[in-house]
Amino acid sequence: MLVELFQDAARGCRQRSPLNHALLTAAAEDLAAGGVTASVMAGSERDRRGTVPGLRFAGSLHRLVLEGKAPGLAKHYPSVGGATDLGNLWADVEPVLAEYADELRGLVRSTVVQTNEPGRTAPLYGGLLVAAGRAAQAAGRTEPYPVRLLEIGASGGLNLRPHRVGYRLSDGRVLGDKRSRLQLDPEWTGLPPTDLDAPLELVERAGCDLKPVDVSTLDGQRQLSSFVWPDQLDRWRRLQRAMRLAVDDPVKVERAAGPDWLRRHLAQPRPGVLTVVWHSVVWQYVSPAQRAQGRTVLAEAAAQATPESPLALLVYEPRERVGGLFRFDLLLRLWPAGISLHLGSGSGHGIPFTWDEQRWS
């Protein structure tokens, strides 16, 4: 089973990260043969698919490189200035696995995959504009609602400041914060179906995570950086800028389970404000029991929503495989308006993204 999960992770990297594809392919073969990879992964043999043990393995190895503990391997990692030699990669990986087997085993077993990909801020921003505008239309308001943003599975909280990011469109326009240190090229096909000139007003932001990451610390920064695929330098640079922005504009991410945290926050309605519950690429890490609890909490709050204190659910999660890869959909529900929309689809990293409004049933 573990070998299959490594192979599955390798296939997911094939088109986007030659380094991780080669690493995980070789590691799967070594694992099947009972090599040093089996020692590193001891104790994780029964891990479920959603915990992606292959990516935890690759991220833990990347963490050693970032900490300067594997200089012989660093020459293959573009994230630290190296140039990958795929033909000799595994020969340089094996001695590192042998030397740091105990440390790597501890990292693999104690961490969860948390890229906290800031590229997902782009579809979030567009989705929030749509939500604020459509909720206002349904309530007969002339101006969009201000927004309270509540994020489940917020990790380091990098997607809790969409109004402080600039979004450079192909026609030369820049949406959002034109002066932000984080400027994204969202690679949109189409545009959000709403007034893009309307400002996004965030009046409150909060997040929770079972294992929040403090990006103001070097340890937190390395943890998130380790899960960015080392040969994806655009994503690497984007993450570094997003973490610096987070340090400048801190938002606390509370250590808490999603359902309990959400119930507590939703018990406090905000008159004149649209409350938006948001999560992205987190559902696969949540147990079925926790998912059911979360749905119950949201349904209870939805039943209490009013035009004065409306509620929205905005999610960006994988829905189905297309050509061997998952398609990620941006979905929106609004209460009490009774609006359910599929707003578009994109990559797991949020960029690129295609806007395509359809009814979501």
Side-chain angles (χ1 to χ4, degrees):
M1 178 63 174
L2 196 55
V3 172
E4 293 176 4
L5 295 183
F6 267 60
Q7 292 170 337
D8 189 51
R11 283 191 291 270
C13 298
R14 179 186 293 123
Q15 297 178 14
R16 295 172 292 173
S17 176
L19 189 157
N20 267 2
H21 176 255
L23 169 66
L24 290 169
T25 298
E29 295 172 356
D30 184 64
L31 188 61
V36 66
T37 306
S39 175
V40 170
M41 297 304 296
S44 299
E45 294 87 354
R46 296 176 179 267
D47 285 5
R48 61 185 179 86
R49 182 175 300 275
T51 67
V52 281
L55 294 186
R56 285 172 19 234
F57 169 85
S60 297
L61 197 59
H62 192 191
R63 175 72 182 252
L64 291 188
V65 171
L66 295 177
E67 292 176 348
K69 294 179 179 178
L73 185 56
K75 65 186 179 184
H76 295 282
Y77 278 66
S79 56
V80 291
T84 309
D85 178 357
L86 296 178
N88 292 307
L89 175 63
W90 185 251
D92 289 325
V93 167
E94 273 193 302
V96 175
L97 296 181
E99 180 178 359
Y100 291 98
D102 292 341
E103 183 173 347
L104 286 166
R105 188 182 311 112
L107 285 172
V108 168
R109 297 186 66 178
S110 64
T111 60
V112 295
V113 177
Q114 289 182 307
T115 57
N116 204 192
E117 175 57 57
R120 296 174 195 144
T121 295
L124 169 61
Y125 177 82
L128 288 175
L129 288 179
V130 175
R134 296 295 175 88
Q137 290 174 10
R141 291 170 55 110
T142 57
E143 298 293 332
Y145 278 97
V147 170
R148 169 172 65 151
L149 182 61
L150 305 177
E151 183 176 15
I152 300 171
S155 186
L158 300 187
N159 290 310
L160 279 168
R161 48 194 61 77
H163 59 317
R164 299 195 183 281
V165 176
Y167 307 89
R168 298 184 177 276
L169 304 186
S170 59
D171 61 8
R173 283 183 293 171
V174 180
L175 306 180
D177 186 348
K178 297 177 176 59
R179 297 182 179 181
S180 173
R181 69 162 69 224
L182 179 56
Q183 300 287 322
L184 297 180
D185 176 2
E187 297 183 35
W188 283 348
T189 298
L191 292 171
T194 190
D195 180 8
L196 298 182
D197 293 324
L200 174 60
E201 182 183 2
L202 286 186
V203 296
E204 184 180 343
R205 297 168 288 164
C208 75
D209 199 280
L210 288 175
K211 293 187 176 182
V213 179
D214 184 354
V215 296
S216 70
T217 68
L218 180 59
D219 180 72
Q221 292 165 11
R222 282 177 172 168
Q223 181 174 344
L224 291 187
S225 298
S226 70
F227 286 112
V228 173
W229 298 344
D231 44 358
Q232 293 191 324
L233 291 181
D234 285 345
R235 287 185 62 214
W236 172 268
R237 298 183 186 109
R238 188 162 68 214
L239 177 67
Q240 308 311 308
R241 292 194 296 269
M243 290 192 294
R244 289 195 293 271
L245 178 60
V247 171
D248 293 342
D249 176 33
V251 181
K252 180 177 175 57
V253 178
E254 185 177 348
R255 185 181 299 274
D260 295 338
W261 178 87
L262 193 59
R263 177 176 281 111
R264 177 157 40 90
H265 280 267
L266 293 181
Q268 306 168 22
R270 295 289 188 270
V273 172
L274 172 65
T275 295
V276 178
V277 177
W278 156 255
H279 59 79
S280 64
V281 198
V282 70
W283 219 225
Q284 70 193 65
Y285 304 113
V286 180
S287 70
Q290 290 260 300
R291 293 185 196 180
Q293 292 172 24
R295 291 190 184 101
T296 297
V297 171
L298 193 66
E300 292 170 350
Q304 300 299 317
T306 68
E308 179 63 12
S309 298
L311 175 67
L313 173 67
L314 183 64
V315 304
Y316 189 64
E317 297 286 352
R319 299 272 287 178
E320 63 180 67
R321 286 183 182 268
V322 178
L325 299 175
F326 279 108
R327 185 190 76 192
F328 293 75
D329 290 343
L330 184 67
L331 306 171
L332 171 67
R333 290 197 194 277
L334 288 167
W335 298 278
I339 295 173
S340 295
L341 297 175
H342 170 282
L343 293 176
S345 304
S347 77
H349 303 141
I351 299 174
F353 185 85
T354 297
W355 293 96
D356 179 24
E357 180 181 331
Q358 302 174 23
R359 292 186 64 183
W360 172 32
S361 58

